[in-house]
Amino acid sequence: MWSRSSSARRQVSAPDSDPEKVLRQVQELSDWLVANPHVNGCNTFENLHFFLRTSKYDVERTKKKLKTFYQMRAERTEWFDNRDPHLPEIQELLQLGVFLPVGTDSEKRMVVVIRTAAHDPKKHTQNNVFKTSKMILDLLLKLDPESCAEGMVAILDMQGVQLGHALQLNPKLIKRSVESWTAYPCQPKLLEFTNSPRHVNIFLNTFRIFMTPKIRSRVMVRREGTSVNCTQLPKELGGQGPSYAELAIKWKQLLEENSDFYVEQDKYKSKLK
């Protein structure tokens, strides 16, 4: 159970909300986690307030979100077990830069670049790509919760995509990937595919099957460039920010420096029956 400290009060910032009401809501969520130990979620003020904020301060909606998130972490062992940044297979994917947080756009939303073809499908499994990406995303939520709470803008750079990349993504894996987007507390506000091959819609139609209508409406496809307004866009996307290689070095170092974070996070997964 978290304490009602002055620092906790300072973190409460809900538009048109009474800070005391928000503190009561977080306390209710904390009590609910204690009463439902099978959820086994992280019961800190920061975590519960983040989930509450991204659920528009709806307590019942937040409870559902917490249940879904921690159940996903328990079920998807291939993504959430043994998350050591120093593992050789993770090191390789960090060096390649498969998932690169960039900075905020003009609407203060967090922008990430997902390089769908940076890995070699003959050497790297798609599950390890997803695992590495979620390791970076989890750390990003910890380091910059304010921007992430405004929503995520994902630029999916398909430069260099080949048939082998597409064949890695069977319908079951696509379904699990799409479900994980909505399980996270930070919602995707835009999914923009760029440097897309001509046949991209045949591939994306499988993704669309599993998307909610809201997520489906946020998908954009471009042959080149990006519509995202972000001063820190990488050079590869026509921006003035750090290159993909520079961002990869930055995030590899950050994960290595925060290896204890993943040990702590490993404690929080639902207890499956």
Side-chain angles (χ1 to χ4, degrees):
M1 185 178 296
W2 60 274
S3 61
R4 289 178 172 232
S5 65
S6 58
S7 61
R9 290 170 186 270
R10 285 196 298 272
Q11 290 181 56
V12 174
S13 57
D16 305 317
S17 293
D18 174 6
E20 285 296 329
K21 178 184 176 183
V22 176
L23 288 170
R24 289 195 299 271
Q25 288 178 313
V26 175
Q27 184 64 62
E28 181 180 343
L29 292 169
S30 176
D31 294 342
W32 174 78
L33 277 181
V34 171
N36 293 273
H38 64 280
V39 177
N40 197 31
C42 179
N43 201 348
T44 64
F45 174 87
E46 292 78 12
N47 186 58
L48 296 180
H49 181 247
F50 185 78
F51 270 87
L52 180 66
R53 178 180 175 183
T54 55
S55 300
K56 299 183 178 180
Y57 296 92
D58 182 325
V59 171
E60 293 307 311
R61 182 176 171 182
T62 307
K63 290 177 183 178
K64 290 178 182 177
K65 199 75 172 177
L66 287 163
K67 285 176 67 175
T68 301
F69 181 71
Y70 288 108
Q71 183 170 333
M72 174 191 68
R73 291 176 63 86
E75 291 176 344
R76 299 276 67 78
T77 56
E78 64 272 28
W79 299 345
F80 294 101
D81 277 5
N82 196 21
R83 301 208 298 170
D84 180 354
H86 297 95
L87 288 172
E89 61 269 28
I90 303 300
Q91 284 279 302
E92 285 188 27
L93 292 166
L94 289 173
Q95 289 168 1
L96 289 171
V98 294
F99 187 99
L100 301 171
V102 172
T104 55
D105 70 357
S106 56
E107 298 180 49
K108 299 181 179 179
R109 304 173 300 186
M110 177 55 66
V111 178
V112 300
V113 175
I114 301 171
R115 300 178 63 213
T116 62
H119 67 287
D120 182 347
K122 294 179 181 177
K123 290 176 57 181
H124 309 112
T125 70
Q126 189 63 50
N127 275 323
N128 276 339
V129 172
F130 286 152
K131 178 178 182 176
T132 304
S133 299
K134 283 166 175 42
M135 287 175 69
I136 297 171
L137 176 57
D138 285 354
L139 184 59
L140 177 63
L141 296 183
K142 174 181 181 288
L143 298 178
D144 196 348
E146 192 66 27
S147 300
C148 294
E150 296 295 328
M152 307 292 290
V153 171
I155 303 172
L156 295 100
D157 187 351
M158 303 186 76
Q159 185 70 47
V161 72
Q162 299 174 1
L163 180 61
H165 295 104
L167 291 176
Q168 281 190 308
L169 289 162
N170 59 61
K172 180 186 287 187
L173 195 52
I174 290 173
K175 182 174 186 288
R176 289 174 174 174
S177 174
V178 172
E179 288 174 345
S180 75
W181 300 345
T182 51
Y184 265 83
C186 51
Q187 290 297 292
K189 301 297 184 182
L190 174 66
L191 296 166
E192 184 179 76
F193 292 80
T194 189
N195 294 319
S196 308
R198 294 184 185 279
H199 58 272
V200 67
N201 278 308
I202 298 173
F203 172 68
L204 287 183
N205 283 341
T206 310
F207 276 87
R208 290 188 177 103
I209 291 170
F210 302 112
M211 292 178 181
T212 64
K214 182 182 286 187
I215 297 296
R216 205 177 298 136
S217 71
R218 295 173 178 174
V219 174
M220 289 182 59
V221 179
R222 299 173 64 92
R223 289 303 305 276
E224 60 183 21
T226 178
S227 65
V228 177
N229 184 3
C230 173
T231 59
Q232 296 161 287
L233 278 177
K235 297 176 175 65
E236 290 84 350
L237 292 173
Q240 302 299 315
S243 67
Y244 285 167
E246 290 169 323
L247 288 168
I249 292 169
K250 170 187 173 180
W251 282 95
K252 179 176 179 289
Q253 183 177 343
L254 280 170
L255 262 70
E256 291 168 352
E257 291 172 350
N258 286 275
S259 56
D260 289 348
F261 165 75
Y262 298 103
V263 176
E264 177 67 20
Q265 285 286 299
D266 194 49
K267 301 175 185 177
Y268 304 117
K269 299 171 186 175
S270 293
K271 298 173 182 176
L272 302 176
K273 294 180 181 179

